[in-house]
């Protein structure tokens, strides 16, 4: 079912951005050398800036017309690997998608659900490698974590905009545009903020969110 955003969120600036992350953990679960440098086009249902990076619960939603507020963070993360390897498996240029919901309270490291979608061009070895690395990038527990296959046929990022689409937007889409309230023509960037289990990143580029949608399966949402 397609879910429409509550009015107060439709009027708010929604979080989105792209940041180069550097995941490097020497040894994987099976003592495999690996490293990954990737850029993520990311968006979620929280008002900007996503409070999940500072709290143990997402922003509240709803609470109008007699309905109780609901806490969730429904997200789309479109990855592009700039350079990476897992053992002998090269990951340079690989694209994949992670969508899901962090749930209402993740103070104990328990999230709700996530779907990792591999691009159809990825080999089995690349899929196994990405699945293993994602366990280090997101070192949490999920009530449900599944995989799927699709085509990340749009992945574009520059100082003015970011756009990613899965299966032409039929499965998922993120569309962001440059923050119009910056002092200069440069993008707005948050520095020195930890991204999950990643040891370092180049910063969070903040862009207002025009489209943030997951349209596949039975847990669809759109903001």
């Amino acid at each position: 079912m397609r879910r429409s955003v509550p009015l107060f969120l439709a009027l708010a600036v929604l979080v989105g951005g792209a940041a180069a992350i550097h995941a490097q953990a020497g040894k994987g679960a099976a003592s495999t050398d690996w490293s990954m440098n990737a850029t993520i086009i990311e968006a979620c249902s929280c008002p900007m800036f996503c409070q999940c990076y500072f709290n143990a619960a997402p922003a509240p939603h709803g609470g109008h017309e007699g309905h109780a507020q609901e806490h969730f963070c429904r997200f789309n993360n479109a990855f592009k690997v700039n350079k990476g390897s897992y053992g002998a498996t090269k990951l340079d240029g690989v694209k994949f998608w992670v969508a899901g919901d962090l749930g209402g309270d993740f103070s104990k490291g328990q999230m709700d659900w996530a779907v990792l979608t591999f691009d159809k061009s990825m080999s089995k070895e690349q899929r196994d490698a990405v699945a293993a690395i994602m366990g280090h990038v997101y070192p949490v527990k999920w009530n449900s974590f599944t995989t799927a296959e699709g085509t990340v046929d749009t992945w574009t990022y520059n100082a003015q905009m970011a756009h990613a689409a899965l299966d032409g937007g039929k499965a998922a889409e993120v569309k962001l545009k440059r923050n119009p309230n910056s002092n200069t023509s440069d993008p707005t960037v948050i520095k020195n903020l930890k991204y999950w289990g990643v040891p370092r990143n180049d910063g969070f580029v903040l862009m207002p969110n025009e489209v943030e949608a997951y349209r596949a399966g039975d847990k669809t949402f759109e903001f």
Side-chain angles (χ1 to χ4, degrees), residues 5 18 20 29 37 39 54 59 63 78 84 100-101 103 106 130-131 136 148-149 152 161 163-164 171 199 210 213 219:
V5 64
N37 176 299
T39 303
F54 302 93
D101 184 354
F106 43 82
V130 165
H136 294 278
E149 183 183 70
V152 184
M161 56 80 70
H163 184 205
E210 292 188 325
K219 296 178 179 178

Side-chain angles (χ1 to χ4, degrees), residues 12-83:
V13 179
L14 301 184
V15 66
I21 65 168
H22 309 268
Q24 195 167 20
K27 300 290 183 179
S31 297
T32 300
D33 292 330
W34 65 271
S35 66
M36 185 180 77
N37 176 299
T39 303
I40 314 169
I41 297 175
E42 176 172 318
C44 76
S45 56
C46 294
M48 187 179 279
F49 179 69
C50 178
Q51 72 177 48
C52 298
Y53 289 101
F54 302 93
N55 299 300
H61 302 75
H64 58 285
E65 297 179 0
H67 296 284
Q69 288 188 327
E70 184 181 2
H71 290 259
F72 56 80
C73 180
R74 293 169 185 158
F75 63 88
N76 282 286
N77 297 347
F79 281 76
K80 181 180 180 180
V81 179
N82 304 312
K83 185 175 180 60

Side-chain angles (χ1 to χ4, degrees), residues 173-193:
E173 185 176 16
V174 172
K175 187 179 289 186
L176 315 171
K177 112 177 139 171
R178 178 181 165 274
N179 174 23
N181 295 317
S182 54
N183 286 324
T184 69
S185 59
D186 295 328
T188 302
V189 182
I190 289 182
K191 295 280 191 177
N192 195 30
L193 178 63

Side-chain angles (χ1 to χ4, degrees), residues 130-223:
V130 165
I133 291 173
M134 286 299 98
H136 294 278
V137 174
Y138 304 115
V140 298
K141 297 178 181 179
W142 299 90
N143 293 328
S144 171
F145 188 93
T146 57
T147 60
E149 183 183 70
T151 302
V152 184
D153 42 23
T154 300
W155 197 103
T156 304
Y157 164 62
N158 56 46
Q160 301 301 315
M161 56 80 70
H163 184 205
L166 182 61
D167 294 333
K170 293 180 180 178
E173 185 176 16
V174 172
K175 187 179 289 186
L176 315 171
K177 112 177 139 171
R178 178 181 165 274
N179 174 23
N181 295 317
S182 54
N183 286 324
T184 69
S185 59
D186 295 328
T188 302
V189 182
I190 289 182
K191 295 280 191 177
N192 195 30
L193 178 63
K194 186 172 180 61
Y195 185 83
W196 297 83
V198 176
R200 61 190 185 277
N201 63 75
D202 292 342
F204 293 68
V205 178
L206 303 188
M207 295 185 178
N209 184 1
E210 292 188 325
V211 178
E212 202 264 302
Y214 186 66
R215 300 166 176 140
D218 59 355
K219 296 178 179 178
T220 60
F221 56 80
E222 186 157 349
F223 299 96

